[in-house]
Amino acid sequence: MRMKWRHCALPAAPLALVLLAASGCSGTADPAKPSGGTSAAGAPATAAARVCAKPPAGPATAPAGAVTVDPAVVGDLAAKTKSSPAGTTFWLRPGTHRLVPEQYAQVVPKKGNRYLGAPGAVLDGRKVNQYAFGGEATDVTLRYLTVRNFVAPHDEGVVNNSSSDGWVIEHSTIRDNSGAGLMAGARQQVRANCLRDNGQYGMNAYKDGDTIRGLVVEGNEITGNNTGDWERKKPGCGCTGGMKFWAVNGADIRGNWVHDNRGTGLWADNNNNDFLFENNLFEANDGAALMYETSYNAVVRNNTMRRNNVAEARKLAERGDNFPYGTIYISEAGGEPRVPARTDKLEIYGNVLENNWNGITLWENANRFCNSPANTSAGYCTLLVKDLKRCAQPSIATAPLYSDCRWKTQRVDIHDNRFVLDAAALKCTTECARMAVLSNYGTYPDWSPYKAKRVSDALLHKQNNRWHDNLYRGPWSFVADDPDKKLDSAQWQSTPYQQDTNSTFGPRAGG
């Protein structure tokens, strides 16, 4: 969840060549090495995953051995799934397929089932059925099918609503549903889909027991989600956006076009680890393009971000909120060598940020730690401690718990990025052109060992957070510790901050 100032994977299997060309990605991911390269202008050489305008068509005839599903027979897909053995392939004829008109009616696959849609095949929940595909079966495949008009409850999903493992969802359109378009399980692969106009998320990567591992999200168009505007209905819920990831260990998020979502584009929240965000295009999301919160060890590289965060940040600025909400917003998250991953840093490099509202914000809430009432991820502790009852006086005041009971914004390495901003184009003054690293003054709870400026001092001077070798164009200013403290580039580069060594600064956007 966002903390207001006042309160405070695995390598993927190769894709078809056309998808690789569209995403600019290789078949494997090594966060230690660049991938995709950059264009002469400095932007990642990534084509937008324009899936929604013209989704690929499925097989026009039934594959050999497939069970044919008739749209004229209501409930035919669920019934034939029930009567067929595990590992069956189902081919859905062209037309609109329907389940029986009961709230909990759904398709319950068996292990290894495959569902292929013919051109024009649609599964329509008619605003009656909550779920399309669910149950505990693993290794289910869904391809070339449109799934629409299901009404999953808040925080639940329509496809793979039980978060079962090993599902593959490809070349499908999941749209106009309530809740999330789909849920995620371990080893899930979500590729080349159109995830649009769903009520809460395009995908909610959450599973009871926090066992999601090896998630791949590649070449999808993720747009227009959170039509229900849940932050307005439940202020501060932190429950909206294009996609949300919760306690996922190992994820490759690459080659996606994430645009025009109400809220954050991609949001990794709470004990995520080992993420790669690569070659994605983020455009015109109302909130931050990317949030990485109370999480560990990630690489954010070769992404392009344009016109994000304008709607939400402008509204807050007009209300007098001077907090520097970032387009890349890092909140109590960073590198931790003791948590196994492909990297032991949070490295942000090779990205182009153009005409977004603000740049990168590193934030750490002094009052938020394991077992604190200010921790909005109630019941969770850090990956270093896990048992929140240990984070209490008197033990929390001494090593190792003094350090390990906090989610820390540490070991963040921001380099070789291009930050371009034309304030006139955004119709703002300088509040939209800020980089920031800051914490609040610790006050809460009464037994907290992190009061006053302990966290702020550590964040600024002891936790190895660095900007360097970046290029700036536009009226950039810098915030360190206090939102009211505006630094120019010379002050930012000087003692005591000593940030952005070897970086270049220019007055003109695009210069």
Side-chain angles (χ1 to χ4, degrees), residues 56-132:
T61 58
V67 172
T68 297
V69 182
D70 187 351
V73 180
V74 174
D76 195 39
L77 179 59
K80 286 179 176 175
T81 295
K82 185 176 181 179
S83 63
S84 301
T88 298
T89 296
F90 300 88
W91 179 70
L92 285 72
R93 290 183 181 275
T96 300
H97 298 253
R98 298 170 298 278
L99 303 175
V100 297
E102 297 174 359
Q103 181 180 7
Y104 299 111
Q106 59 186 297
V107 181
V108 182
K110 296 172 184 175
K111 179 178 174 61
N113 280 5
R114 294 174 296 276
Y115 297 87
L116 305 177
V122 176
L123 182 60
D124 195 323
R126 296 179 286 174
K127 302 296 184 182
V128 174
N129 309 115
Q130 289 191 351
Y131 313 115

Side-chain angles (χ1 to χ4, degrees), residues 409-449:
T409 301
Q410 66 177 8
R411 298 174 60 84
V412 182
D413 191 3
I414 302 165
H415 64 94
D416 294 288
N417 302 286
R418 181 181 175 94
F419 302 111
V420 179
L421 192 137
D422 182 350
L426 294 184
K427 298 180 181 179
C428 73
T429 54
T430 57
E431 73 272 9
C432 64
R434 294 179 290 176
M435 294 282 169
V437 53
L438 73 168
S439 179
N440 53 336
Y441 194 86
T443 60
Y444 181 78
D446 290 342
W447 53 270
S448 170

Side-chain angles (χ1 to χ4, degrees), residues 309-464:
N309 205 31
V310 176
E312 288 192 1
R314 186 196 301 279
K315 185 183 297 183
L316 291 166
E318 289 173 349
R319 294 175 183 172
D321 188 336
N322 67 343
F323 188 89
Y325 295 99
T327 290
I328 298 178
Y329 190 6
I330 308 301
S331 179
E332 298 93 24
E336 175 49 73
R338 292 174 292 172
V339 177
R342 295 168 290 181
T343 180
D344 60 5
K345 298 191 292 185
L346 203 171
E347 190 170 15
I348 303 171
Y349 70 94
N351 305 286
V352 174
L353 277 72
E354 180 179 357
N355 285 346
N356 304 282
W357 197 285
N358 293 324
I360 299 174
T361 295
L362 306 187
W363 162 251
E364 189 170 333
N365 181 350
N367 299 328
R368 186 180 189 184
F369 54 92
C370 176
N371 206 28
S372 167
N375 176 28
T376 52
S377 300
Y380 278 84
C381 200
T382 69
L383 293 181
L384 299 174
V385 179
K386 297 185 181 180
D387 181 3
L388 60 85
K389 293 180 181 178
R390 295 181 60 204
C391 295
Q393 290 287 4
S395 300
I396 194 174
T398 59
L401 293 180
Y402 179 84
S403 175
D404 292 352
C405 288
R406 291 198 63 80
W407 290 272
K408 293 181 181 178
T409 301
Q410 66 177 8
R411 298 174 60 84
V412 182
D413 191 3
I414 302 165
H415 64 94
D416 294 288
N417 302 286
R418 181 181 175 94
F419 302 111
V420 179
L421 192 137
D422 182 350
L426 294 184
K427 298 180 181 179
C428 73
T429 54
T430 57
E431 73 272 9
C432 64
R434 294 179 290 176
M435 294 282 169
V437 53
L438 73 168
S439 179
N440 53 336
Y441 194 86
T443 60
Y444 181 78
D446 290 342
W447 53 270
S448 170
Y450 310 110
K451 289 185 176 179
K453 295 182 68 64
R454 291 182 176 90
V455 171
S456 178
D457 290 344
L459 174 68
L460 287 169
H461 306 299
K462 301 175 183 178
Q463 292 180 186
N464 297 314

Side-chain angles (χ1 to χ4, degrees), residues 4 22 84 102 109 133 157 179 213 227 241 315 317 441 484:
K4 301 297 181 69
S84 301
E102 297 174 359
F133 294 88
R213 306 286 186 272
T227 60
K315 185 183 297 183
Y441 194 86
D484 292 322

Side-chain angles (χ1 to χ4, degrees), residues 192-391:
N193 301 288
C194 171
L195 307 176
R196 72 174 305 163
D197 300 332
N198 295 291
Q200 191 177 357
Y201 308 109
M203 183 176 77
N204 183 11
Y206 166 80
K207 182 174 181 176
D208 287 343
D210 302 335
T211 58
I212 298 178
R213 306 286 186 272
L215 178 64
V216 174
V217 179
E218 183 171 17
N220 304 281
E221 184 173 352
I222 304 160
T223 181
N225 295 290
N226 186 28
T227 60
D229 197 7
W230 279 96
E231 294 287 346
R232 180 183 57 81
K233 295 178 180 178
K234 298 178 66 174
C237 72
C239 60
T240 58
M243 283 189 177
K244 188 76 175 280
F245 307 89
W246 183 276
V248 174
N249 191 355
D252 292 346
I253 316 297
R254 57 183 181 243
N256 303 286
W257 185 20
V258 185
H259 67 100
D260 295 285
N261 293 286
R262 178 177 283 171
T264 301
L266 300 179
W267 190 343
D269 182 6
N270 190 65
N271 283 349
N272 297 283
N273 176 51
D274 196 15
F275 268 58
L276 169 66
F277 299 94
E278 177 182 56
N279 289 328
N280 300 289
L281 175 60
F282 298 83
E283 291 186 305
N285 296 288
D286 283 359
L290 174 63
M291 287 186 65
Y292 205 66
E293 180 175 3
T294 55
S295 294
Y296 303 87
N297 301 327
V299 172
V300 182
R301 69 182 179 201
N302 297 346
N303 302 283
T304 297
M305 302 180 180
R306 303 186 184 114
R307 304 182 306 280
N308 298 284
N309 205 31
V310 176
E312 288 192 1
R314 186 196 301 279
K315 185 183 297 183
L316 291 166
E318 289 173 349
R319 294 175 183 172
D321 188 336
N322 67 343
F323 188 89
Y325 295 99
T327 290
I328 298 178
Y329 190 6
I330 308 301
S331 179
E332 298 93 24
E336 175 49 73
R338 292 174 292 172
V339 177
R342 295 168 290 181
T343 180
D344 60 5
K345 298 191 292 185
L346 203 171
E347 190 170 15
I348 303 171
Y349 70 94
N351 305 286
V352 174
L353 277 72
E354 180 179 357
N355 285 346
N356 304 282
W357 197 285
N358 293 324
I360 299 174
T361 295
L362 306 187
W363 162 251
E364 189 170 333
N365 181 350
N367 299 328
R368 186 180 189 184
F369 54 92
C370 176
N371 206 28
S372 167
N375 176 28
T376 52
S377 300
Y380 278 84
C381 200
T382 69
L383 293 181
L384 299 174
V385 179
K386 297 185 181 180
D387 181 3
L388 60 85
K389 293 180 181 178
R390 295 181 60 204
C391 295

